[in-house]
Amino acid sequence: MALRGLLRVGEVCIRVMDMKKARRHYGEIMGLHEVMEDHDGKVYFKCWDEHDHHSVILNPSDRPGMDYFAFKVSSDSVLTDLAPKIEKFGLKVKHIEAGTYPKSGRRLEFVLPTGHTMQLYADKEQIGNTMGTLNPGVTPDDGVIRGLAINRIDHILLGGTNIDESMRLFLEVFDFDLSEKLVHHEAKINLAVFMTCTTKPHDIAFVLQPEPNKYHHTSFWLESAHDVVKAADRIGKYRVPVDVGPNRHGITRGATIYFFDPSGNRCEVFAEGYVHYPDTPTLVWDTTEAGHATFSQDNVLRESFLNVLT
């Protein structure tokens, strides 16, 4: 599959209320690599197998949640092509000069119909995964893979009103596929939509909420369901608050565990799932099977999973 246009979630800026505790959670316990702190006190992390300089930013704040998220695109010309298309869709586009964000080229910024601030960028300094690019081998030196053995960011789930319009933006302007959705079995309205620009089950998802601009979670990719269980052992060891798991989703088929950072922001570790191709049909679930759709091993739909967002 030749990836063009939007490539992946490349950056998430998360608000945290206690930076010392947040640094320990994302760095020591989860095992992300801290790469810098800026003059505003923001702390930057990367997952071990990401080549770009950073993917997770912790912003000191008096409230939890997400400031913005950003997708990396395949080239600078994609930014040029997309700007008028986003404006034609009805969203105001802000042009951000290169260097405004650390280690990054120019960006486009706009607010989704669901209320979330989204950015697009093509260029970010690459620092590699410690293995090099010539005869790199298959595993890094000891100590690079640590904590929960997280490889990279996998996807994000956002909550808000007007999820159908955000879905339409991603399908019609950004050329995503609608991989799965959950609909109310009587009202037939979309309760959650899952979209992909890759071969993964999803790169971004939206869940219907009574308020706009809510943050559900960032998901981090592990290599196997066994790694998810081992991650749960470490999460338990350090008394990290757990929302759900280990379990498996019916939607996406991913092995999962959900847990919270010290500010109450939800994180996920995720493995497996299926391979999506452009000709894969959209899978539709309805609320008669909401338990199995969300958590297929015990078929229990958790109220916290639906209602706890930051």
Side-chain angles (χ1 to χ4, degrees):
M1 183 176 183
L3 296 180
R4 295 291 184 268
L6 274 65
L7 298 178
R8 62 179 179 274
V9 178
E11 187 171 302
V12 181
C13 185
I14 302 167
R15 297 190 296 268
V16 298
M17 297 185 291
D18 186 319
M19 185 58 76
K20 182 178 180 180
K21 290 180 179 179
R23 259 181 157 141
R24 179 173 182 266
H25 176 84
Y26 288 93
E28 296 178 26
I29 297 175
M30 289 180 61
L32 306 188
H33 292 261
E34 184 175 326
V35 293
M36 68 172 282
E37 180 177 1
D38 68 19
H39 62 276
D40 294 323
K42 296 185 183 73
V43 179
Y44 296 70
F45 290 87
K46 70 182 292 292
C47 307
W48 85 263
D49 205 18
E50 294 170 334
H51 290 268
D52 284 357
H53 182 271
H54 60 271
S55 59
V56 175
I57 304 168
L58 303 183
N59 184 21
S61 178
D62 60 357
R63 59 194 176 99
M66 182 190 72
D67 283 332
Y68 69 89
F69 71 98
F71 265 77
K72 189 173 188 179
V73 304
S74 57
S75 68
D76 189 77
S77 63
V78 172
L79 299 179
T80 301
D81 292 342
L82 281 177
K85 295 178 181 179
I86 297 167
E87 291 186 327
K88 185 177 179 181
F89 185 85
L91 306 182
K92 183 178 179 180
V93 175
K94 178 182 179 181
H95 294 261
I96 300 173
E97 293 183 357
T100 303
Y101 285 80
K103 314 295 182 179
S104 181
R106 72 180 181 109
R107 298 188 175 204
L108 306 180
E109 181 179 276
F110 43 93
V111 177
L112 300 179
T114 45
H116 302 91
T117 299
M118 178 175 176
Q119 296 179 354
L120 300 175
Y121 67 93
D123 298 312
K124 183 184 286 185
E125 178 183 327
Q126 291 197 325
I127 59 176
N129 62 0
T130 76
M131 295 171 63
T133 57
L134 176 64
N135 304 323
V138 297
T139 188
D141 291 337
D142 293 343
V144 176
I145 302 176
R146 63 192 194 190
L148 305 185
I150 289 165
N151 289 55
R152 55 171 169 76
I153 287 181
D154 188 82
H155 63 267
I156 57 172
L157 175 57
L158 307 175
T161 56
N162 209 5
I163 66 171
D164 286 345
E165 277 297 283
S166 284
M167 176 184 70
R168 190 167 70 86
L169 173 71
F170 277 83
L171 299 182
E172 296 180 5
V173 178
F174 299 148
D175 200 28
F176 278 52
D177 291 339
L178 179 63
S179 55
E180 304 199 41
K181 64 179 182 177
L182 174 67
V183 302
H184 192 281
H185 71 282
E186 293 177 334
K188 306 301 181 184
I189 63 172
N190 291 326
L191 300 179
V193 293
F194 301 78
M195 291 168 289
T196 180
C197 60
T198 60
T199 59
K200 299 186 298 184
H202 61 327
D203 290 280
I204 190 169
F206 293 94
V207 60
L208 188 63
Q209 290 289 303
E211 298 178 41
N213 193 26
K214 304 300 286 188
Y215 174 60
H216 194 279
H217 71 268
T218 296
S219 182
F220 298 89
W221 190 76
L222 306 183
E223 291 187 354
S224 70
H226 174 74
D227 287 338
V228 172
V229 173
K230 296 299 290 183
D233 289 337
R234 184 172 179 85
I235 288 167
K237 176 179 179 178
Y238 289 99
R239 305 301 193 268
V240 176
V242 172
D243 186 20
V244 185
N247 212 305
R248 186 178 292 278
H249 292 302
I251 297 173
T252 75
R253 303 183 205 161
T256 179
I257 180 168
Y258 289 96
F259 53 99
F260 294 102
D261 76 7
S263 298
N265 296 302
R266 186 186 282 102
C267 304
E268 181 190 24
V269 286
F270 180 94
E272 302 180 352
Y274 57 84
V275 175
H276 176 90
Y277 290 102
D279 65 341
T280 303
T282 299
L283 306 178
V284 181
W285 299 76
D286 68 30
T287 47
T288 64
E289 286 289 348
H292 192 68
T294 50
F295 300 106
S296 65
Q297 292 180 339
D298 60 11
N299 303 309
V300 175
L301 176 61
R302 277 76 169 175
E303 286 298 315
S304 61
F305 186 74
L306 296 178
N307 299 323
V308 177
L309 294 88
T310 54

